[in-house]
Amino acid sequence: MKILGVSMVSKEEILEGLAKAVIDGDEVKSEELAKKSLEIGIDPYESLMNGCNKGMAKVSDLYELKEMFVPEILLSADAMYAAIDILKPHLKVDASAKKPAKVVIGVAQGDIHDIGKNLVKMMLEVAGFIMIDVGKDVPVDTFVKKTIEEDADIVAISALMTTSMMYMEPVIKKLKENFVKAKVVVGGAPINNDFANKIGADGYGKDAVEAVKVSKKLVGV
Amino acid sequence: MDKMTPPERFQAVLMGEKPDRVPVVPFILGFCTKIVGMPLGDFYADGNKSFEAQFMSMRLYGYEQTPMYGYASCGPWEFGGKVGFPYGEGHSAPYVIEHPVNELVDIDKLEVPDSDKPVGGFVEAQKLCDRCVEMGMPGIFQGGSVFTAAAVVAETTKFLKWMKTEPKSAHALLDKVSQMFINQVEYFVNRYGADKCVVFDGGPVEANTVISPQKFEEFAFPYMMKVHKKIREFDIPVTLMHPCADQNLNIPYYIKMRESLNWKGIYAWIFGPETPLKTQIEKFGTHDIIGGNVDPPSIQTRTYQEVVQLCKENIEQGIENPRGFILCPGCEFPPLAEPIKPMAFIDAARQFGVYK
Ligand code: B12
């Protein structure tokens, strides 16, 4: 069956195929299907949301269930980025739509654990945020400077150690001192809701999926 | 009151006898620089300074831990890469500046240091061990983990992906890293004699928050076996095992290693707080010493009284381990904890850890 020139069977097949390629971490396949999706006229936004994102959501679930682990997720991310690279130039820019929110993300001072930060960055990117990655072991002032420079809406700070989590509060204080309105989201293994509240953060996420939820809430998406 | 000195107490546990009370090995590394007023960077950059800070802290508190040298990002320096020392604000341990392996072709080019001299961090470890052995204490140095070292010799995310996309290359790297550890262990054995050596093996990248038990079986286990087979051949009596963070799904392989090597030495296990002491005792308690696993962040964030309580709970669960128990945190003692916190461990051992 064909509706508006798009073959329905193959559309579903392609979207499902894309999701599967992301789950399997199959970069070649996801690239191929992204190209195919454009060829047969599937709206790239739909491929992104119902293909790639759907696959990535499943990946998060499987990580939670300890059925997927970091190496597999990293390959899923590669597969997803490969598709995004192809789809992105074809996304229709809706002039009336709100401009996407910008997030400055980095790992707190003194901390080089960046695997979690990279996963959070990727999930936020998939969710449509513009990501500015300031890396790991990031000094307090760099977070503040970059947020002002980029006029970011959100600052996302990751810390995996009891030593480095102490550098989250100074970022929040300095942002306030400089009258920066950006919201601050924190996360990482030693962080919890209580700690986030105590230091005056606007949001906390226990994993990458929650990172997306709180960030969306904070910018009103 | 204590009836034994710290060396007597520790020796008793090693010999399988009951000491007067539970010994305390607080896994203090960077923390002790605060005690002596030394920059944290010096602790890792200079084995002599590392010895002095640890020796002073050990005397001040009277715990049973003797000085040792090691850190999680071991490997890159030994293979010609570059590590930074924690002199910067907020730093807590050495970190990688330059990974020797960034592309697959770099693996072929890696040269395995041989056993005639120490390299990288082992040079500093030797300075520290010389002083320990001279004073009748064991020389404690790193013999792994191979998997964590390989994951930092190579750029970490690339290595993690290669396990799936380029398994042959991942194995080639692991093989070279394991040989490096074997050669360095051999150097120390030749220098001091096996009976003076204690190998420390452990790392965080094989945690199940990062890799699956299947990946552990395929990529971590064979090389851990290779190194431990050598440790057994060398006849090193005590091996400190620190499966860092949540490694519950990897436990079957640690058991398998002990069984298939027909281990005749003693393992002392320091698992993370994620592994209940009950499980550890069940799996290893008849042969091995079990170290406690007091939650490290809590040592820093909670009060003295609360830490004593956590230690008490640990002691109650571990004290009857058939092959002996020592009170430890589940990972390195937080470098920023207050100076009173090691006392909480010792006070708890004195109050709740006395053997009748
Ligand atoms: C892998 C690892 C390493 C690797 C890191 C490689 C890398 N490039 O990242 C290496 C070997 C280099 C390493 C080194 C060290 N490590 Co380490 N390491 C770990 C380990 C096992 C896993 C971390 C990880 O990647 N997890 C997987 C990811 C996916 O999970 P995650 O990071 O938690 O992220 C998720 C969530 O937390 C959340 N999240 C994360 N960030 C953010 C941010 C926001 C805004 C939000 C909303 C959510 C969010 O979403 C993520 C995805 O779901 C942890 C143990 C643990 N339980 O976390 C120890 C751990 C963090 N390490 C620890 C230590 C002590 C060290 C060393 C100091 C050891 C030493 N003495 O040398 C060094 C430190 C080096 C330094 N200078 O910083 C301790 C920290 C203890 C403490 N003080 O609090 C831990 C907790 C182990 C332990 N049990 O004690 N380590």
Side-chain angles (χ1 to χ4, degrees):
Chain A
M1 185 173 64
K2 272 196 169 191
I3 298 177
L4 298 174
V6 176
S7 154
M8 292 311 283
V9 185
S10 64
K11 175 177 167 179
E12 255 164 38
E13 265 172 17
I14 284 181
L15 294 183
E16 260 170 41
L18 259 177
K20 187 169 180 308
V22 169
I23 296 167
D24 295 343
D26 189 339
E27 206 175 324
V28 177
K29 191 96 202 166
S30 74
E31 229 178 77
E32 183 192 308
L33 287 170
K35 280 184 190 147
K36 192 101 179 238
S37 79
L38 292 171
E39 270 166 37
I40 66 162
I42 302 176
D43 180 353
Y45 183 75
E46 207 178 336
S47 302
L48 212 61
M49 297 312 287
N50 296 335
C52 299
N53 281 16
K54 212 168 141 194
M56 218 52 211
K58 181 79 186 165
V59 167
S60 303
D61 289 347
L62 292 172
Y63 179 68
E64 192 82 354
L65 293 168
K66 283 204 188 308
E67 283 176 30
M68 241 175 125
F69 295 81
V70 174
E72 294 80 15
I73 301 181
L74 291 170
L75 291 169
S76 291
D78 286 352
M80 183 192 66
Y81 282 125
I84 290 180
D85 282 348
I86 291 164
L87 297 171
K88 222 175 192 171
H90 301 275
L91 281 173
K92 290 181 202 88
V93 186
D94 181 354
S96 66
K98 245 175 83 180
K99 97 177 185 313
K102 215 184 231 185
V103 182
V104 166
I105 191 167
V107 181
Q109 181 143 24
D111 200 331
I112 51 92
H113 295 91
D114 62 355
I115 298 173
K117 180 266 291 171
N118 291 341
L119 294 186
V120 171
K121 173 188 164 188
M122 172 189 91
M123 290 302 277
L124 286 171
E125 204 150 42
V126 176
F129 289 89
I130 297 175
M131 300 304 293
I132 313 290
D133 188 350
V134 285
K136 54 194 174 187
D137 186 9
V138 179
V140 171
D141 286 340
T142 308
F143 273 113
V144 178
K145 208 173 129 228
K146 212 56 190 175
T147 307
I148 296 171
E149 248 171 55
E150 296 283 346
D151 191 19
D153 304 278
I154 291 179
V155 185
I157 317 172
S158 175
L160 268 284
M161 305 198 293
T162 42
T163 43
S164 58
M165 70 188 202
M166 298 305 172
Y167 289 92
M168 291 176 151
E169 192 172 8
V171 175
I172 296 172
K173 279 203 174 128
K174 279 228 163 138
L175 287 170
K176 286 208 176 109
E177 276 166 30
N178 286 282
F179 306 104
V180 181
K181 294 248 161 51
K183 306 281 188 201
V184 178
V185 188
V186 293
I191 315 295
N192 56 31
N193 240 327
D194 288 348
F195 180 80
N197 286 333
K198 205 174 101 194
I199 63 170
D202 302 290
Y204 157 75
K206 87 167 173 17
D207 54 30
V209 179
E210 277 194 13
V212 173
K213 275 191 205 148
V214 283
S215 304
K216 278 187 167 172
K217 205 167 140 203
L218 287 173
V219 294
V221 181
Chain B
M1 223 29 230
D2 288 351
K3 295 198 177 73
M4 286 177 162
T5 62
E8 286 168 354
R9 185 171 300 121
F10 203 66
Q11 194 58 26
V13 178
L14 287 182
M15 301 304 292
E17 293 155 11
K18 286 244 173 338
D20 57 343
R21 64 158 168 87
V22 165
V24 176
V25 173
F27 211 149
I28 283 178
L29 293 170
F31 171 88
C32 62
T33 54
K34 278 216 309 207
I35 301 299
V36 292
M38 175 190 289
L40 179 59
D42 284 359
F43 180 89
Y44 290 100
D46 183 340
N48 276 311
K49 290 189 173 158
S50 188
F51 172 84
E52 277 147 26
Q54 292 184 66
F55 189 58
M56 291 300 184
S57 177
M58 166 188 162
R59 287 179 47 213
L60 177 67
Y61 290 108
Y63 51 63
E64 279 71 32
Q65 178 187 337
T66 58
M68 60 191 211
Y69 185 90
Y71 51 86
S73 300
C74 171
W77 192 8
E78 290 69 22
F79 278 102
K82 220 167 143 189
V83 295
F85 294 106
Y87 286 105
E89 199 182 337
H91 287 175
S92 57
Y95 54 94
V96 187
I97 295 176
E98 213 178 278
H99 298 279
V101 173
N102 285 295
E103 302 303 332
L104 289 172
V105 292
D106 298 334
I107 297 174
D108 283 343
K109 291 188 230 148
L110 280 185
E111 279 179 34
V112 180
D114 53 32
S115 60
D116 62 353
K117 61 175 191 307
V119 289
F122 289 92
V123 175
E124 303 313 317
Q126 188 214 294
K127 292 180 190 162
L128 175 139
C129 290
D130 279 356
R131 310 263 307 257
C132 290
V133 173
E134 206 179 281
M135 294 180 72
M137 297 183 283
I140 313 179
F141 53 88
Q142 233 170 321
S145 81
V146 175
F147 188 83
T148 289
V152 287
V153 166
E155 199 278 315
T156 309
T157 44
K158 282 187 184 157
F159 174 76
L160 292 175
K161 290 194 263 186
W162 288 340
M163 285 193 287
K164 199 151 178 200
T165 57
E166 306 284 346
K168 264 199 179 140
S169 301
H171 279 294
L173 174 59
L174 286 155
D175 195 55
K176 286 190 168 183
V177 172
S178 61
Q179 198 54 49
M180 181 276 287
F181 278 120
I182 288 175
N183 292 351
Q184 295 295 301
V185 171
E186 187 174 351
Y187 171 79
F188 281 83
V189 168
N190 289 338
R191 189 172 179 87
Y192 308 121
D195 58 326
K196 306 275 186 337
C197 294
V198 171
V199 177
F200 176 96
D201 182 4
V205 186
E206 49 268 56
N208 301 125
T209 44
V210 184
I211 64 162
S212 64
Q214 290 78 24
K215 286 276 179 296
F216 184 90
E217 177 178 24
E218 193 181 339
F219 293 94
F221 180 65
Y223 304 97
M224 179 171 81
M225 282 286 286
K226 185 176 157 195
V227 175
H228 284 244
K229 193 161 168 270
K230 269 294 191 210
I231 295 177
R232 194 188 186 284
E233 274 171 35
F234 289 138
D235 226 354
I236 296 175
V238 182
T239 303
L240 263 174
M241 293 297 291
H242 175 46
C244 186
D246 182 350
Q247 296 210 24
N248 285 325
L249 301 175
N250 302 337
I251 289 177
Y253 302 103
Y254 289 111
I255 297 174
K256 195 169 157 193
M257 174 173 74
R258 148 171 264 309
E259 283 171 358
S260 54
L261 289 176
N262 192 16
W263 199 247
K264 55 179 177 175
I266 303 166
Y267 281 125
W269 297 91
I270 306 179
F271 276 90
E274 297 87 350
T275 306
L277 286 177
K278 192 166 169 272
T279 310
Q280 299 182 39
I281 292 171
E282 245 171 61
K283 309 288 183 198
F284 304 101
T286 35
H287 313 280
D288 296 334
I289 297 170
I290 302 294
N293 61 354
V294 177
D295 179 47
S298 301
I299 299 170
Q300 181 182 323
T301 55
R302 304 233 190 142
T303 63
Y304 162 84
Q305 280 83 5
E306 287 170 328
V307 176
V308 170
Q309 179 60 27
L310 290 174
C311 292
K312 175 177 183 244
E313 288 162 16
N314 234 249
I315 293 169
E316 284 169 355
Q317 291 163 33
I319 191 165
E320 291 309 336
N321 181 52
R323 188 56 188 80
F325 177 72
I326 46 183
L327 181 62
C328 313
C331 196
E332 183 187 345
F333 202 88
L336 296 185
E338 298 84 357
I340 194 66
K341 297 297 173 57
M343 267 324 281
F345 275 64
I346 294 166
D347 289 347
R350 288 193 174 130
Q351 277 181 58
F352 311 109
V354 175
Y355 286 97
K356 303 267 152 38

